[in-house]
Amino acid sequence: MPRLARLTCAAAALALALPATVCAGAASAQTTPRAEDQLGALVGALFGDRLGLSAMDQAWLRGGRPLRDGQNQFTSRIDSSVRSGAVSASAATRLRADYSGLVDLEARYAADGRITAQERADLNSRYNALIQTLDSGASGYGETGGAAAGRAAFESRVDAAVAARRLTRTEATRLKADYQAVIQLETRYQADGVLSASERADLDSRLDALDARVGDSPNATTPAMTARQRLAALDTTVTTSERAGRITRAEAADIRVELGDLQRLETAYARLNVSADDSAYLDRRIGELESRARR
């Protein structure tokens, strides 16, 4: 009798609830993939870790989405590692993007209502690799491939935001163009073969600003700020960055001049029924100024 059939019959005997036809069907070599998944779900529910099934496998067999549900926890671990200095900001950005890509993959695998054993093995392997990278400190992780390596994951997030109606198509197009501009800037920075700490910090701040504009941060517990609220917060950010020495007095003055221009533009837009292109333009200008203020 095949191993799957023996396990299924044992499960039936333990539960005292399965009709004999289930065991007979499990013994047959003609068992369909869907039937195997159903039997696997039963075995996972009854035996769990005793058969080597991970907690995620058991969740998938029950129709759950453990990677999606665990994204906040994973991101919190990254943030904690950044605060302690164990993981660099660039590595953290790449880890967050890669985990988001993994959640997207889980969703694609689950689109037909089930995740096969092969798909579960793939997800487990990718997840374990990310955990090992994070636990090891992710040294050089954010440097490999740089912004270009995260482009596909970023555009996938943007497309998902459009599908969820958090972004318009015009905003999505602008975000993708702005991400390409960061890639081009990174290429210029690397022209001499070295990416300095200040250059990496600049790239990180620009990528963080783009991430914020997508609006899908798993840590976001409040609605996205309006343009007026972002501009008000920018004034505080400029003062804080200047006092901390992250930007010079001259840079702070230049930013405040632009900030005043954008505040007047936002006030004018608030009185009008502006187009999506106008709103996207204002959003992009604010994002660029936020990046400069956070250097």
Side-chain angles (χ1 to χ4, degrees), residues 158-173:
V158 171
D159 291 340
V162 171
R165 298 187 178 181
R166 292 193 303 269
L167 293 174
T168 66
R169 293 191 179 278
T170 300
E171 290 169 333
T173 299

Side-chain angles (χ1 to χ4, degrees), residues 166-167 171 209 212-216 220-237 266 279 282-283 286-287 290 294:
R166 292 193 303 269
L167 293 174
E171 290 169 333
R213 287 166 58 190
V214 177
D216 63 351
T221 56
T222 58
M225 290 193 298
T226 64
R228 182 165 298 182
Q229 290 170 331
R230 291 172 66 191
L231 288 168
L234 245 173
D235 190 38
T236 302
T237 301
E266 188 280 331
S279 296
L282 177 60
D283 183 66
I286 295 173
E290 287 171 333
R294 284 197 296 262

Side-chain angles (χ1 to χ4, degrees), residues 41 44-45 47-49 53-64 120:
F47 291 102
D49 290 340
L53 293 173
S54 69
M56 289 200 301
D57 279 310
Q58 294 175 57
W60 285 320
L61 288 168
R62 291 192 296 269
R120 293 198 306 272

Side-chain angles (χ1 to χ4, degrees), residues 53 108 122 145 154 209 277:
L53 293 173
R108 290 198 297 273
D122 181 35
F154 179 81
D277 284 343

Side-chain angles (χ1 to χ4, degrees), residues 111-134:
D112 62 354
R114 66 188 180 94
I115 299 181
T116 67
Q118 182 177 355
E119 290 167 344
R120 293 198 306 272
D122 181 35
L123 291 171
N124 269 312
S125 176
R126 293 171 184 265
Y127 173 77
N128 289 335
L130 283 179
I131 289 294
Q132 290 172 5
T133 299
L134 176 58

Side-chain angles (χ1 to χ4, degrees), residues 206-221:
R206 292 172 187 272
L207 291 172
D208 287 344
L210 290 176
D211 284 341
R213 287 166 58 190
V214 177
D216 63 351
S217 171
N219 288 331
T221 56

Side-chain angles (χ1 to χ4, degrees), residues 2-57:
R3 180 172 181 269
L4 177 60
R6 290 199 302 272
L7 291 174
T8 306
C9 290
L14 178 62
L16 299 178
L18 289 180
T21 53
V22 174
C23 290
S28 168
Q30 301 300 317
T31 304
T32 64
R34 182 167 293 277
E36 287 182 358
D37 284 340
Q38 292 169 344
L39 297 177
L42 172 64
V43 173
L46 290 174
F47 291 102
D49 290 340
R50 280 179 287 167
L51 296 180
L53 293 173
S54 69
M56 289 200 301
D57 279 310

